[in-house]
Amino acid sequence: MAAGPAHAQTFSNTIFFGDSLTDSGFYLYQPDKTGKPGFGLAPAGTGTYTTNPDPGWAVRFGQKFGIAVAPADTPVTGGNNYAAGGSRIVADFGNTWSTNTQIQTYLASTGGVADPNAIYTFWNGINDLKSNTPAIGANPGNIVLPPNFTAINTLANQAVGEVQALASAGARYILVPNISLLSNAALAASGNPLNNATANDARALYDQTVWNGLAVKGINFIPADAAAIQSFVLLSPAEFGITHVSINAPACGAVNAYQCGPANYVAPNADKTYFFADGPAAPDGGGHVTSAVQQIISDYFYALIVAPSEISFLAEAPVKTRTAVVDSITSQIPLSFSTPGVFHGWVSGDVSWLKIDSRYAGFPNDPGTPASTTAGFDYALTRDWLIGAAFSGGTTTQTFSLGGDFRQTEYAVSLHSAYRKDAFWLSTVATWGALSDAVNRQVPIGISCSPTRAAPTEPTSHSRPRPAITSGPLLEFFQRRLAWR
């Protein structure tokens, strides 16, 4: 019997750059960007663009890895969330930091070196891509109605440059969600007065150009289809306990979300049953989401991050079980040397305990108990030389810590030979095997849980068969983003 951990990546910090979608309290400590009526400092207990005092997705995301998240402008202590509501890619205005300023401020605090063990988020661009966006200096205003393709490409390349600056400084794990707002169907379902397919297609072009630009430059990043997950929720609200999806009747009424607390809720449970926190009647134009949707976004991003770790066990488990088979054979060889012409038959079993090292906060440990049986026979050609064959079968069920499991079955045939002469010995083991996997990964998203299933497959020689994937309602978002480096 044996036990062994497999090591997972852990994060030293979570660092955020972006706009109001990610802001967790930038305007608690300084006035907002305009000073217009209805704006100003966020009251105590608010500050996040949601139904306060509920945390936004960034705070929830950090908590999953055991990391506290605070605004970067927190007096004395500072913080790890540089996002500011109203932020644009490179254009500063008032007290609102662009992501360029956010990143440069972070790098200035670290001597120009990005923590290589932190996970970073770059989520910005929507304020540059609204039809009512004002021009600031050399940065143009409305570039989506009609689409100004040159300006959109320039903006996307500016965003690529910001992410590249992080990567060049040493960042290795960078989450880059899209900002395409919602699908046209979801916009229609929400009653959004900005429902315009042309403008939305222009935003989609920005997203595609950013992701393609990062790929061309060889920058490893984690793409996240935030627009698709929010669109799905708007079109299937009941699955997530949401009963109100109209942007024109939001949870906070006519109050800006970052200034909204329970006293502003239009209903006591509006933070759980409404999709939008604020809408067009709010001074800043609204469009921010409630606590329920913030939880969904956080869960989705988290599921993308840990998916490779969970699925990596499909390759890790056979390494352990195959080692057990070889160990069984090599342990038997010294016992089987005998007089020439003699056969030996034997049976051996192995039970192991396998999981990812649980010291790494936030990453599933996915425990399981692989078991295998090997039966073989040897034939002594001479007193010092024998040959043999063995047949083995093994199985394991590794339980995904977030829900579900995968079941793996392995069958193998091995040929072995051993030779000894005085103080010298030589043994060889050649194994042919096949695996069959059945995956049932549960993905918690808000109060919903989407199954991700892979049906068992017939094993094929010399290789591990690839399971046929069948989708749960949310799996399409995860299949595209499952593997990242």
Side-chain angles (χ1 to χ4, degrees):
M1 300 183 68
H7 297 288
Q9 172 63 39
T10 188
F11 297 125
S12 58
N13 204 350
T14 53
I15 301 172
F16 305 89
F17 306 105
D19 54 24
S20 59
L21 298 174
T22 306
D23 186 346
S24 61
F26 189 82
Y27 297 117
L28 282 168
Y29 308 108
Q30 56 185 305
D32 83 314
K33 63 274 183 188
T34 63
K36 295 179 180 179
F39 290 85
L41 285 173
T46 65
T48 301
Y49 286 75
T50 188
T51 44
N52 295 280
D54 298 325
W57 80 264
V59 172
R60 298 173 189 266
F61 183 79
Q63 289 172 344
K64 292 178 184 292
F65 297 103
I67 299 169
V69 176
D73 61 344
T74 303
V76 182
T77 60
N80 49 3
N81 189 351
Y82 292 80
S87 173
R88 293 171 67 169
I89 300 295
V90 298
D92 292 311
F93 60 102
N95 290 324
T96 302
W97 295 352
S98 65
T99 41
N100 176 269
T101 297
Q102 293 170 23
I103 291 172
Q104 295 307 313
T105 301
Y106 164 68
L107 293 177
S109 71
T110 63
V113 179
D115 180 355
N117 296 315
I119 182 166
Y120 299 82
T121 299
F122 181 94
W123 195 8
N124 205 358
I126 188 57
N127 291 309
D128 292 277
L129 292 164
K130 291 180 178 178
S131 58
N132 58 353
T133 295
I136 300 177
N139 291 92
N142 170 33
I143 60 175
V144 295
L145 283 177
N148 182 334
F149 297 111
T150 299
I152 292 171
N153 282 322
T154 297
L155 181 70
N157 288 328
Q158 289 171 339
V160 170
E162 299 304 321
V163 178
Q164 185 176 24
L166 274 176
S168 297
R172 296 189 296 163
Y173 310 106
I174 308 174
L175 180 71
V176 184
N178 61 3
I179 57 91
S180 301
L181 287 180
L182 307 168
S183 68
N184 293 324
L187 282 170
S190 70
N192 195 320
L194 299 178
N195 181 17
N196 185 289
T198 300
N200 225 29
D201 288 345
R203 299 181 187 107
L205 173 62
Y206 164 85
D207 286 327
Q208 183 176 354
T209 305
V210 170
W211 284 355
N212 287 346
L214 293 173
V216 166
K217 290 183 177 297
I219 297 172
N220 288 329
F221 70 101
I222 308 160
D225 199 347
I229 193 72
Q230 292 182 73
S231 295
F232 182 87
V233 176
L234 269 173
L235 295 172
S236 307
E239 183 175 337
F240 303 91
I242 294 173
T243 57
H244 298 76
V245 298
S246 174
I247 195 172
N248 300 302
C252 296
V255 177
N256 287 325
Y258 82 95
Q259 297 170 314
C260 172
N264 306 110
Y265 292 0
V266 298
N269 65 343
D271 59 329
K272 301 295 189 294
T273 57
Y274 282 64
F275 185 94
F276 290 101
D278 56 7
D284 68 1
H288 305 101
V289 297
T290 62
S291 172
V293 184
Q294 297 278 355
Q295 180 69 61
I296 290 168
I297 294 170
S298 174
D299 289 345
Y300 167 55
F301 289 167
Y302 176 68
L304 290 181
I305 301 302
V306 302
S309 174
E310 288 193 301
I311 299 302
S312 70
F313 253 25
L314 269 72
E316 182 71 21
V319 174
K320 302 298 182 182
T321 55
R322 185 59 54 82
T323 298
V325 170
V326 174
D327 286 347
S328 296
I329 295 172
T330 55
S331 296
Q332 178 63 34
I333 287 174
L335 304 177
S336 297
F337 279 110
S338 183
T339 56
V342 174
F343 280 95
H344 289 93
W346 51 271
V347 177
S348 177
D350 180 272
V351 178
S352 304
W353 173 249
L354 181 64
K355 69 174 184 176
I356 296 178
D357 195 324
S358 57
R359 293 175 299 173
Y360 299 100
F363 281 85
N365 55 33
D366 302 340
T369 308
S372 64
T373 301
T374 303
F377 64 89
D378 307 306
Y379 180 76
L381 296 172
T382 69
R383 182 177 295 276
D384 296 319
W385 184 17
L386 64 82
I387 58 174
F391 305 88
S392 58
T395 185
T396 184
T397 298
Q398 300 291 148
T399 302
F400 290 139
S401 301
L402 298 183
D405 55 37
F406 77 82
R407 297 180 302 281
Q408 185 174 88
T409 303
E410 177 181 12
Y411 300 98
V413 177
S414 300
L415 301 176
H416 59 275
S417 178
Y419 178 78
R420 65 181 182 180
K421 185 65 175 179
D422 299 327
F424 301 95
W425 57 269
L426 174 68
S427 62
T428 60
V429 179
T431 302
W432 174 92
L435 299 174
S436 177
D437 296 323
V439 179
N440 174 25
R441 177 173 177 252
Q442 302 292 329
V443 182
I445 301 291
I447 65 171
S448 178
C449 191
S450 179
T452 300
R453 299 185 183 276
T457 58
E458 293 299 322
T460 55
S461 62
H462 304 296
S463 65
R464 179 169 62 87
R466 182 176 181 178
I469 302 293
T470 57
S471 296
L474 295 179
L475 177 59
E476 61 198 81
F477 306 133
F478 297 94
Q479 286 178 305
R480 297 195 299 271
R481 313 296 177 222
L482 187 62
W484 54 274
R485 296 179 183 177

